[in-house]
Amino acid sequence: MQKLRSIATISNAAMPSDLKSYLVQKMENIEKTYHCDMGDILSVILLEKQEESYLLDKGLEFYEILSFSHADWIHTVWASSDGYSEDIYIPFST
C-alpha cells in the first residue's frame, strides 16, 4: 500500500504515467477548489491486487472502473470522518 498525502509524493511514486497525470491534475484541482493542501483533507491510497481486503473492510458504498495504461483500476472513496477522506485505487482484472 502506498499512502500519498501530497502532489509531490504522487509525482515521485511508482505508477503508470497516465494514472500519475490524472491524480496530479485531480489533486491540483482539489487544492484550488478548497484553498488548502491536499494532505489536510485527502490521501490517495494505491493498493496492490492482493490488498483487496483493505477495500472490503471499509464497507464502501460505490466504486467505478477507470482505465490507465491498458489496465483497469477500481476507484472508490472512503470518508473516515467529516473533512477527511481516502481516494483509493486498486488494479482490477476480470
Side-chain angles (χ1 to χ4, degrees):
M1 175 188 333
Q2 294 183 69
K3 189 171 191 175
L4 310 170
R5 297 194 54 141
S6 72
I7 293 172
T9 57
I10 292 170
S11 296
N12 293 321
M15 70 179 85
S17 61
D18 53 350
L19 175 58
K20 186 180 296 190
S21 296
Y22 170 80
L23 290 174
V24 166
Q25 181 178 1
K26 181 178 181 178
M27 296 311 136
E28 286 174 345
N29 289 337
I30 287 171
E31 287 186 352
K32 287 177 189 173
T33 300
Y34 296 101
H35 307 287
C36 65
D37 289 329
M38 173 194 140
D40 295 337
I41 61 170
L42 175 70
S43 291
V44 172
I45 307 292
L46 294 179
L47 301 172
E48 299 292 331
K49 283 185 184 181
Q50 67 272 18
E51 295 176 308
E52 65 186 19
S53 65
Y54 188 85
L55 291 174
L56 301 174
D57 292 342
K58 303 288 185 191
L60 303 169
E61 296 181 20
F62 86 94
Y63 73 93
E64 63 182 343
I65 304 289
L66 302 175
S67 293
F68 298 102
S69 296
H70 310 292
D72 292 332
W73 293 71
I74 294 174
H75 166 247
T76 190
V77 175
W78 178 62
S80 59
S81 66
D82 288 342
Y84 186 78
S85 63
E86 294 179 348
D87 199 37
I88 303 170
Y89 298 82
I90 186 169
F92 172 76
S93 61
T94 55

